[in-house]
Amino acid sequence: MGIPATIREDFPILGQRVNGKPLVYLDSAATSQKPRQVLDAVRRYYEEYNANVHRGVYSIAERATAEYEAARAAVARFLGAAGPDEIVFTRNVTEALNLVAYAWGRRHLRPGDEILTTEMEHHSDLVPWQLVAQERGARLRHIPFDDQGRLILDELDRLLTERTRIVALVHVSNTFGTVNPVAEVTRRAHACGALVIVDGAQSAPHRPVDVRALGCDFFGFTGHKMLAPMGIGGLWARRPLLEEMDPFLGGGEMISDVWLDRATWNEVPWKFEAGTPNVGGAIGLGAAIDYLERLGMDAVAAHEREITAYAMERLREIPGLHILGPGVDERGGVVSFWMDDIHPHDISQVLDTEGVCVRAGHHCTKPLHRKLGIGASARASFYVYTIPEEIDVLARALLKTRELFSVAR
Ligand code: 7TS
């Protein structure tokens, strides 16, 4: 069963007009829109049982704690974790990746050790490793990509050495859209004794993810790209890894006992959740997962594949437009492109006059763009609510952009 276009009615924002035109939101890789079911769950929390979690012994606090922990269980089920204790809530995937870089990296990295990432990483899976590598005297290396934006796996065996401690890679590239062969990379990394951390920001929202089938050791995700509010995300990690790591942040909730000069730690996962968490956000994430599970992640992936194939077909008709990344069989719902003689910011501005939202810039993948020799690109990205008619609007608006700029020259 495909995804019916009627689900658009669940997304209040999609009924809007901007600049006199129906809103065509094609920037879901930056953040997704939110269905009523998620908005209602968050509002219900604030209207009916807003209270801090894990401390009150009165009814609404108990309900808040139960719903917060139910959301953790939903995430565990959604990602195929062994249990909710393997899920740490964070603000977003950036915080999840930093958590591992610091809590794991500070304990395990020694001078001369190597951290392997890729040339297509988002800055949030590069910079934390740069910081910890500098602090620990470790060395960063990078898996290159080919001219279609695919990782060059032939290089992997050369790059993986007995010094490699961890491989940090993006599951689905937010710029190329490439779906990286995480299971294969993990198999080879483990054979060298290295751990693997996956940036799942663009995969968990869009395709079935089973962390145990992937075989990786850490998996980060971010709620706002999967129908949930901003400010909630998380980290999945194998329980023994969470247990051996020191906390990342100190404060309330993450302790077991505290003296003036020392403290002991709470159990996992709470050891990593210092301070009052985003309870409303977690509850919204639980509702978002319910929503996605009702649609079925296979159906979500199939829908996006269809939309992406159609978008690539329509965009290829536009003269002087160049699509980045691999063919539709190897990509998620992201199509980045550039156009001869037109800056991506100009593209985005002209599209905005037609009600079309696309991202322009480096998409937090500056090294990737630098390697391609382009400073920036434009990007259309899709989700469950995207319909082919919106791709038609995009294609018409791009043709209009082309005409405007050829007249201007
Ligand atoms: N990793 C990838 C692959 C991403 O696409 C993003 C966000 C992040 C990490 C960071 O997510 P955050 O929620 O922690 O901020 N990517 C984008 C984007 O492509 N456009 O805006 C944000």
Side-chain angles (χ1 to χ4, degrees):
M1 252 267 301
I3 293 184
T6 49
I7 70 154
R8 289 174 66 81
E9 288 158 22
D10 292 337
F11 295 81
I13 203 170
L14 297 181
Q16 297 219 358
R17 295 176 82 83
V18 285
N19 300 321
K21 305 280 168 55
L23 176 69
V24 174
Y25 185 75
L26 300 178
D27 198 16
S28 291
T31 198
S32 71
Q33 298 304 342
K34 325 299 176 197
R36 249 179 249 286
Q37 290 81 343
V38 167
L39 303 174
D40 288 348
V42 176
R43 192 172 47 244
R44 243 189 337 269
Y45 163 66
Y46 284 113
E47 287 183 354
E48 295 175 15
Y49 59 102
N50 173 54
N52 213 325
V53 289
H54 300 141
R55 49 205 94 190
V57 285
Y58 46 89
S59 304
I60 62 168
E62 280 169 1
R63 182 171 168 206
T65 302
E67 297 285 345
Y68 178 70
E69 292 302 329
R72 193 191 308 278
V75 173
R77 185 182 68 230
F78 188 69
L79 296 180
D85 53 345
E86 291 187 335
I87 305 297
V88 177
F89 281 130
T90 60
R91 281 188 301 145
N92 46 40
V93 69
T94 301
E95 190 175 275
L97 298 165
N98 275 272
L99 192 165
V100 178
Y102 286 102
W104 180 88
R106 278 186 174 148
R107 171 171 281 242
H108 293 284
L109 292 171
R110 303 273 171 272
D113 281 351
E114 292 179 357
I115 301 163
L116 184 57
T117 70
T118 80
E119 290 179 342
M120 66 172 80
E121 282 324 287
H122 188 279
H123 298 165
S124 58
D125 203 25
L126 276 181
V127 182
W129 297 110
Q130 292 170 356
L131 289 168
V132 78
Q134 211 164 25
E135 186 181 307
R136 305 297 305 159
R139 177 176 177 215
L140 279 171
R141 307 190 76 185
H142 305 95
I143 309 171
F145 57 76
D146 67 14
D147 58 1
Q148 293 209 43
R150 296 173 301 200
L151 291 180
I152 304 178
L153 288 193
D154 288 348
E155 295 283 315
L156 194 55
D157 290 329
R158 184 180 62 78
L159 289 164
L160 275 170
T161 71
E162 73 285 353
R163 295 186 148 184
T164 315
R165 293 283 163 268
I166 195 159
V167 179
L169 89 157
V170 66
H171 195 174
V172 175
S173 160
N174 67 316
T175 300
F176 287 137
T178 319
V179 182
N180 285 320
V182 168
E184 172 63 13
V185 172
T186 301
R187 196 182 58 71
R188 295 206 216 170
H190 282 176
C192 286
L195 296 181
V196 175
I197 176 165
V198 176
D199 171 356
Q202 302 289 352
S203 62
H206 302 286
R207 52 189 47 241
V209 166
D210 182 329
V211 286
R212 278 177 295 176
L214 289 176
C216 57
D217 302 287
F218 302 99
F219 184 96
F221 67 95
T222 203
H224 69 94
K225 296 190 203 281
M226 49 190 284
L227 310 180
M230 290 187 177
I232 188 74
L235 172 74
W236 166 82
R238 297 181 188 283
R239 190 177 164 121
L241 289 167
L242 288 177
E243 275 173 354
E244 64 155 39
M245 291 189 322
D246 284 328
F248 168 45
L249 298 171
E253 182 65 30
M254 51 71 72
I255 52 85
S256 165
D257 205 350
V258 181
W259 296 264
L260 284 176
D261 59 347
R262 70 202 150 88
T264 53
W265 315 139
N266 200 344
E267 311 256 289
V268 298
W270 304 285
K271 178 169 92 176
F272 296 102
E273 293 180 7
T276 298
N278 182 355
V279 179
I283 288 166
L285 175 62
I289 287 174
D290 286 348
Y291 189 92
L292 288 170
E293 285 179 338
R294 268 199 303 279
L295 293 178
M297 290 308 291
D298 285 322
V300 170
H303 175 77
E304 285 186 35
R305 189 200 143 88
E306 235 170 79
I307 290 285
T308 306
Y310 184 56
M312 289 176 78
E313 184 189 317
R314 294 300 316 266
L315 262 52
R316 281 201 197 98
E317 293 165 2
I318 294 163
L321 186 149
H322 311 271
I323 295 176
L324 307 182
V328 71
D329 291 338
E330 293 175 89
R331 78 157 77 208
V334 170
V335 183
S336 297
F337 58 91
W338 56 280
M339 289 171 84
D340 292 339
D341 307 322
I342 313 177
H343 194 281
H345 283 157
D346 291 331
I347 298 175
S348 182
Q349 260 172 5
V350 177
L351 294 193
D352 184 48
T353 64
E354 299 294 313
V356 180
C357 312
V358 298
R359 172 129 190 225
H362 51 69
H363 323 311
C364 298
T365 53
K366 274 198 145 186
L368 178 159
H369 282 87
R370 196 170 286 123
K371 179 172 174 178
L372 296 179
I374 52 176
S377 59
R379 181 187 69 189
S381 55
F382 320 119
Y383 208 5
V384 289
Y385 38 70
T386 311
I387 49 175
E389 291 79 356
E390 292 180 303
I391 305 301
D392 294 334
V393 176
L394 170 70
R396 273 198 303 275
L398 285 169
L399 277 173
K400 183 179 161 187
T401 313
R402 174 87 271 155
E403 280 159 24
L404 267 176
F405 278 81
S406 48
V407 172
R409 265 190 300 144

